[in-house]
Amino acid sequence: MDNVVITIARQYGSGGRTVGEMLAKKLNIHYYDKELMKLASEDSGISEALFANADEKVKSTRLFHIAKSAYNGELIPPESDDFTSTDNLFNYQAKIIRQLAGEESCVIMGRCADYVLKEYDNVLSVFIHAPKAFCMEQAAKKHNMNEKELERFIQKTDRHRAEYYKYHTGREWTDARNYDLCLDSSKLGFDRCVEEIIAYMKVRFPQ
């Protein structure tokens, strides 16, 4: 197998992004997060701002409480009124994710990449989680909020991620069956999480 893709989903405050960045650096491979929006914009011709706005829309609409059929790889053509719809913006990001999986080894953060790539044999999907106290402690390093504000912020962020995931995949975001590996970063620490992912890779992809 020429390339391996690691997808990482994470609870807010668990340090999943830090783990992803450390993993990509250690393996000397690309790390993709918000850059996916730029690549999808270039591919589709749709303004990158619309992709960013769609991300924000997740945080301010009830749209994602509505069930829809899961992503199936289809793109909406430019002549359609729905070309710049939230669904099609996701479709283009998914298209980029699939292209990357076929071209290079990389780490991809969020964006339902584990589901988008579920049929790919070269993908290792990871979910990083941690207890509330640990997530609060980590989030407090980045946000100047009191305890109640911080707790509400974390709950809201994770709720949005769960709704976004359910809307586009039909699955539950925190269901361990969706992932190859689930790691508690509070027990392992970030360095050990990286080590465990690499150890799993060596077993899963011995070549």
Side-chain angles (χ1 to χ4, degrees), residues 66-72 87 90-91 115 166-170:
I66 304 170
K68 75 177 272 285
S69 56
Y71 164 77
N72 60 12
D87 287 349
F90 177 84
N91 292 345
Y115 183 84
K166 181 68 175 285
Y167 179 79
H168 287 297
T169 72

Side-chain angles (χ1 to χ4, degrees), residues 17 37 97 146 148 151-152 167:
R17 173 174 287 142
M37 290 188 287
I97 289 170
N146 63 42
K148 286 294 184 183
E151 182 177 4
R152 286 195 294 267
Y167 179 79

Side-chain angles (χ1 to χ4, degrees), residues 27-203:
L27 295 174
N28 194 29
I29 59 178
H30 280 116
Y31 168 87
Y32 291 101
D33 189 354
K34 293 186 182 297
E35 187 181 356
L36 290 169
M37 290 188 287
K38 178 182 179 181
L39 295 173
S41 172
E42 292 172 351
D43 183 71
S44 64
I46 299 172
S47 168
E48 186 176 346
L50 286 179
F51 285 93
N53 290 340
D55 263 15
E56 290 303 312
K57 190 176 182 180
V58 179
K59 303 174 184 178
S60 61
T61 183
R62 304 295 293 180
L63 168 68
F64 293 94
H65 290 275
I66 304 170
K68 75 177 272 285
S69 56
Y71 164 77
N72 60 12
E74 293 183 5
L75 294 170
I76 299 172
E79 60 270 19
S80 170
D81 291 339
D82 292 328
F83 181 60
T84 58
S85 66
T86 300
D87 287 349
N88 208 38
L89 295 175
F90 177 84
N91 292 345
Y92 269 102
Q93 289 185 83
K95 178 187 176 185
I96 295 299
I97 289 170
R98 292 164 73 97
Q99 287 178 347
L100 292 172
E103 296 171 357
E104 62 173 284
S105 292
C106 59
V107 174
I108 300 177
M109 297 299 300
R111 288 176 171 73
C112 308
D114 59 282
Y115 183 84
V116 172
L117 301 176
K118 67 183 186 300
E119 297 172 1
Y120 285 59
D121 294 330
N122 63 328
V123 175
L124 168 58
S125 58
V126 180
F127 186 80
I128 306 292
H129 62 96
K132 173 183 171 182
F134 181 85
C135 292
M136 291 274 289
E137 179 184 342
Q138 294 300 311
K141 296 177 182 178
K142 295 184 178 181
H143 301 283
N144 185 23
M145 301 177 183
N146 63 42
E147 186 174 342
K148 286 294 184 183
E149 290 172 334
L150 198 59
E151 182 177 4
R152 286 195 294 267
F153 176 78
I154 292 173
Q155 289 176 343
K156 185 177 180 180
T157 302
D158 281 348
R159 183 174 68 251
H160 290 149
R161 289 177 177 177
E163 290 170 355
Y164 182 88
Y165 188 88
K166 181 68 175 285
Y167 179 79
H168 287 297
T169 72
R171 296 180 174 184
E172 297 299 327
W173 180 55
T174 56
D175 189 337
R177 291 171 296 183
N178 297 333
Y179 309 97
D180 297 309
L181 195 61
C182 295
L183 300 173
D184 184 338
S185 55
S186 71
K187 294 178 179 177
L188 295 175
F190 301 154
D191 286 311
R192 187 62 186 272
C193 281
V194 171
E195 292 173 6
E196 291 300 322
I197 294 170
I198 292 175
Y200 189 98
M201 285 175 59
K202 291 179 178 177
V203 173

